[in-house]
Amino acid sequence: MTKRQSKQPVDESRRKFLKYSGAALGGAVVGGVIGGLVGSNLNKSAKEAPTPQESEETPTARDQDYNHALMFFSQEQFQTTEAAAERIYPKDDNGPGAQELGVAFFIDHQMAGAYGFNAREYMSPPFYKAEASQGYQLTFKRRELLALGLDALNEYSEQKHNKKFYKLSPEEQDAVLTAFEKDEVDLKDVPASAFFAMLRNLTIEGAYADPLYGGNRNMDGWRMRNYPGNQMSFTEEIEKEEFIKMEPLSLRDHLQTS
């Protein structure tokens, strides 16, 4: 498994736009929690927000605290996710791996939000066996499937190696993940490969999603791809024929300068 400033108060109309467009943005990226994040950050009036003189915390520091706070995982689930994601997207000569990019925090935040609850999907019975081309059709919510799979990773690891998954060697972790990928593990009426596929997709999303969601720390995932991130305009570059390398910008950068 291998990979590869102005700080004036925001006017009320812009505040409402950001609050109610957050859910749409989240769905476009990975169905994330930007609606809750942006809404909770911007729903306070300007007079309630501390001024730079009232607080020594910078916006970046507050955002980092938020992004590195667990919302769904237990500590063991977090450690297991972090270890598994690192094997799926390991550090190499191209750049940092999933652990340095904060992918496990991204996954945690996704499971705590609407995406983890399958809030925008029909989840009522009757349930029928789906064709492979129909995508996710299980009765489990994503957060339930992920928790079930993480517990199974540790149970299987203890059966095979007498250790929790996150305490295994990289080679042993690869073997365990491969067993899940090939459906060699019984996962309580759920294909183990379904759990592995979801974990793999979430890992890649966490490496490249906007840092506002908790992963892609310092935009290093984008830098490895020379991706410019969320630039507001390309009017000065669009006519140029040569490749232009730009310092990436995140959604947070625009929120802080609004």
Side-chain angles (χ1 to χ4, degrees):
M1 278 151 279
T2 59
K3 64 170 182 182
R4 24 162 175 137
Q5 204 159 32
S6 167
K7 296 188 178 178
Q8 298 175 351
V10 183
D11 63 68
E12 190 62 27
S13 62
R14 180 178 176 82
R15 198 180 299 274
K16 288 181 179 178
F17 169 78
L18 288 170
K19 177 179 178 181
Y20 293 112
S21 64
L25 272 172
V29 181
V30 280
V33 294
I34 190 173
L37 177 59
V38 174
S40 63
N41 284 344
L42 296 182
N43 202 29
K44 298 177 181 179
S45 65
K47 64 182 180 180
E48 291 176 332
T51 64
Q53 292 77 19
E54 293 172 338
S55 173
E56 295 181 0
E57 275 190 308
T58 63
T60 300
R62 289 196 298 271
D63 291 337
Q64 289 297 325
D65 288 343
Y66 178 91
N67 285 344
H68 298 165
L70 295 181
M71 301 178 180
F72 171 71
F73 287 144
S74 66
Q75 190 60 38
E76 182 172 272
Q77 288 173 330
F78 175 79
Q79 290 175 291
T80 304
T81 301
E82 193 170 52
E86 182 67 19
R87 297 314 304 151
I88 294 170
Y89 195 98
K91 179 179 180 179
D92 62 13
D93 293 340
N94 294 313
Q99 183 173 357
E100 288 184 52
L101 291 171
V103 165
F105 287 104
F106 165 85
I107 297 174
D108 170 79
H109 293 185
Q110 293 298 303
M111 295 303 104
Y115 182 75
F117 282 98
N118 297 64
R120 299 176 184 176
E121 297 166 38
Y122 185 80
M123 295 294 292
S124 298
F127 298 101
Y128 301 97
K129 185 176 180 179
E131 298 296 331
S133 60
Q134 292 180 296
Y136 186 88
Q137 297 288 323
L138 301 177
T139 61
F140 288 96
K141 295 181 175 67
R142 291 187 183 89
R143 65 201 326 255
E144 295 169 343
L145 176 59
L146 188 65
L148 179 66
L150 293 174
D151 290 344
L153 274 179
N154 283 320
E155 292 172 5
Y156 184 81
S157 299
E158 289 182 316
Q159 291 172 7
K160 291 289 184 178
H161 305 286
N162 296 315
K163 294 179 184 177
K164 298 285 188 181
F165 178 84
Y166 54 88
K167 294 183 178 180
L168 300 179
S169 68
E171 295 74 20
E172 291 170 335
Q173 290 175 340
D174 286 350
V176 170
L177 289 171
T178 299
F180 276 73
E181 183 181 21
K182 294 182 176 180
D183 278 326
E184 296 174 358
V185 182
D186 182 15
L187 203 59
K188 299 178 182 178
D189 298 324
V190 179
S193 59
F195 159 72
F196 175 82
M198 184 175 73
L199 179 61
R200 181 181 182 276
N201 289 339
L202 285 167
T203 297
I204 295 172
E205 289 166 359
Y208 296 117
D210 192 284
L212 189 67
Y213 296 91
N216 190 13
R217 186 177 289 153
N218 299 323
M219 295 180 282
D220 286 337
W222 288 347
R223 288 190 175 90
M224 285 190 282
R225 298 282 184 172
N226 288 321
Y227 178 67
N230 290 292
Q231 303 286 336
M232 293 297 288
S233 172
F234 296 95
T235 54
E236 296 182 6
E237 294 83 13
I238 194 72
E239 299 292 337
K240 297 180 181 179
E241 295 184 3
E242 71 275 14
F243 177 79
I244 301 173
K245 189 173 181 179
M246 305 174 70
E247 180 64 14
L249 293 176
S250 76
L251 292 169
R252 184 187 295 114
D253 294 321
H254 302 306
L255 291 174
Q256 290 175 357
T257 57
S258 298

